[in-house]
């Protein structure tokens, strides 16, 4: 596990590493850059760089964390990548099912495969699994409707990097929306009106809204205030959790 600097989680846990690009949101994939860096540093887990690899030895980790954690699962991959065997996904689910003291946040861009497995009743959804999809612009908005069809108990959207407007999202059945701009050397700009429109849609649908960051070449300087304040709403969780 690793402590995370991501504003909406506490720790990262990576039972799978490696991925491949699937849409425009992947263009400057942080996981790819980090994987290559870790490979160059000789870190054994990343010896195959960004190729999809499962790491069975990591499955024990959540059992040993002494306090309740909010955990981002697979910050370095996509659990529903087609090269991840269903049997391994089910092992990851079993760990999450066995550890209700932790909240596990799973994020995918492969909602079709997620829904296919779910429709076949291959996934066991416990309350502590939050299932999310990334929606960077209108071209991938169908991911929202696909996610909504799953039996996950808590569903969320990560609109990051937001690279276009997302008008008239169907937020029925969605429990949380995160918005963030792209950072790095050549970030694609995020317009304030896109963010404000998403916030308005969340208010209307009574969905918690989390504004992660403006992004840009100087992410720290750009900050994370919108209309003069921070927006850190989250789905409700037991009091012992704090991030
Ligand atoms: S799905 Fe996620 S991890 Fe995979 S390439 Fe795209 S941004 Fe990177």
């Amino acid at each position: 596990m690793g402590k995370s600097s991501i504003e909406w989680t506490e720790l990262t846990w990576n039972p799978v590493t490696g991925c491949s690009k699937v849409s425009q949101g992947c263009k400057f994939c942080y996981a790819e850059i980090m994987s290559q860096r870790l490979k160059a540093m000789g870190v054994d887990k990343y010896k195959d760089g960004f190729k999809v690899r499962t790491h069975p030895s990591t499955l024990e980790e959540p059992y040993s964390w002494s306090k309740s954690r909010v955990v981002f699962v697979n910050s370095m991959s996509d659990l529903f990548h087609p090269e991840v065997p269903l049997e391994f996904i089910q092992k990851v689910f079993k760990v999450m099912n066995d550890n209700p003291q932790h909240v596990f946040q799973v994020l995918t861009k492969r909602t079709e495969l997620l829904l296919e497995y779910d429709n076949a009743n291959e996934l066991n959804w416990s309350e502590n699994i939050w299932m999310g999809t990334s929606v960077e612009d209108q071209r991938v908005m169908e991911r929202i409707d696909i996610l909504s069809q799953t039996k996950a108990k808590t569903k969320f959207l990560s609109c990051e990097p937001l690279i276009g407007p997302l008008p008239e999202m169907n937020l029925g059945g969605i429990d949380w929306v995160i918005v963030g701009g792209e950072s790095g050397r050549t970030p694609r700009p995020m317009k304030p009106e896109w963010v404000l429109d998403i916030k308005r849609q969340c208010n209307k649908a009574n969905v918690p809204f989390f504004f992660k960051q403006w992004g840009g070449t100087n992410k720290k300087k750009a900050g994370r205030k919108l209309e003069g304040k921070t927006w850190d709403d989250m789905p409700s969780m037991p009091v012992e959790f704090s991030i």
Side-chain angles (χ1 to χ4, degrees):
M1 72 170 179
K3 203 163 168 31
S4 175
S5 60
I6 301 168
E7 289 80 353
W8 48 263
T9 196
E10 189 182 7
L11 295 177
T12 53
W13 171 50
N14 282 291
V16 183
T17 55
C19 195
S20 55
K21 298 185 179 188
V22 70
S23 63
Q24 275 303 311
C26 302
K27 188 171 180 187
F28 302 117
C29 174
Y30 168 86
E32 182 182 31
I33 297 164
M34 276 308 293
S35 297
Q36 300 303 1
R37 203 173 288 170
L38 291 164
K39 179 184 176 181
M41 286 163 64
V43 178
D44 190 56
K45 193 171 179 183
Y46 296 92
K47 64 177 187 291
D48 295 322
F50 202 45
K51 293 200 178 100
V52 176
R53 294 289 179 263
T54 58
H55 301 279
S57 63
T58 62
L59 294 174
E60 294 302 316
E61 292 176 2
Y63 294 90
S64 65
W65 301 334
S66 53
K67 71 178 253 245
S68 295
R69 307 285 193 179
V70 181
V71 189
F72 179 22
V73 180
N74 278 353
S75 61
M76 299 295 282
S77 181
D78 184 334
L79 187 61
F80 292 92
H81 190 286
E83 287 174 35
V84 181
L86 173 59
E87 295 71 32
F88 193 80
I89 296 173
Q90 288 172 319
K91 284 183 182 166
V92 172
F93 267 68
K94 166 93 168 58
V95 175
M96 299 193 287
N97 300 149
D98 283 352
N99 287 279
Q101 72 277 23
H102 307 309
V103 168
F104 293 93
Q105 300 160 319
V106 184
L107 188 58
T108 188
K109 288 188 173 73
R110 274 100 175 170
T111 43
E112 290 89 353
L113 197 50
L114 163 69
L115 184 62
E116 189 183 313
Y117 292 154
D118 191 44
N119 280 343
N121 290 321
E122 298 285 4
L123 305 173
N124 183 18
W125 297 105
S126 42
E127 298 276 351
N128 63 331
I129 302 172
W130 295 7
M131 187 67 231
T133 190
S134 308
V135 190
E136 65 266 23
D137 64 19
Q138 282 182 79
R139 287 169 287 191
V140 293
M141 265 172 63
E142 76 278 357
R143 289 178 190 157
I144 303 174
D145 296 324
I146 301 172
L147 174 68
S148 296
Q149 292 172 51
T150 69
K151 297 186 276 298
K153 308 273 199 278
T154 298
K155 303 179 181 107
F156 70 98
L157 308 181
S158 170
C159 306
E160 186 196 7
L162 187 66
I163 53 173
L166 292 172
E168 293 173 43
M169 289 185 288
N170 180 1
L171 294 178
I174 298 298
D175 302 288
W176 190 30
V177 175
I178 301 162
V179 175
E182 192 159 62
S183 47
R185 257 184 253 165
T186 51
R188 291 162 287 182
M190 175 174 71
K191 292 194 176 166
E193 58 261 37
W194 302 342
V195 185
L196 289 169
D197 182 52
I198 295 172
K199 181 170 154 287
R200 183 193 58 75
Q201 293 180 56
C202 288
N203 286 348
K204 196 173 162 202
N206 211 13
V207 173
F209 171 81
F210 191 106
F211 184 57
K212 182 169 173 272
Q213 61 178 47
W214 283 106
T217 47
N218 189 340
K219 178 182 147 172
K220 264 208 177 123
K221 193 166 168 224
R224 52 186 306 263
K225 283 195 173 160
L226 175 66
E227 296 184 312
K229 61 171 278 194
T230 50
W231 303 85
D232 293 331
D233 289 349
M234 295 186 83
S236 56
M237 51 175 130
V239 279
E240 62 265 30
F241 292 96
S242 63
I243 61 171

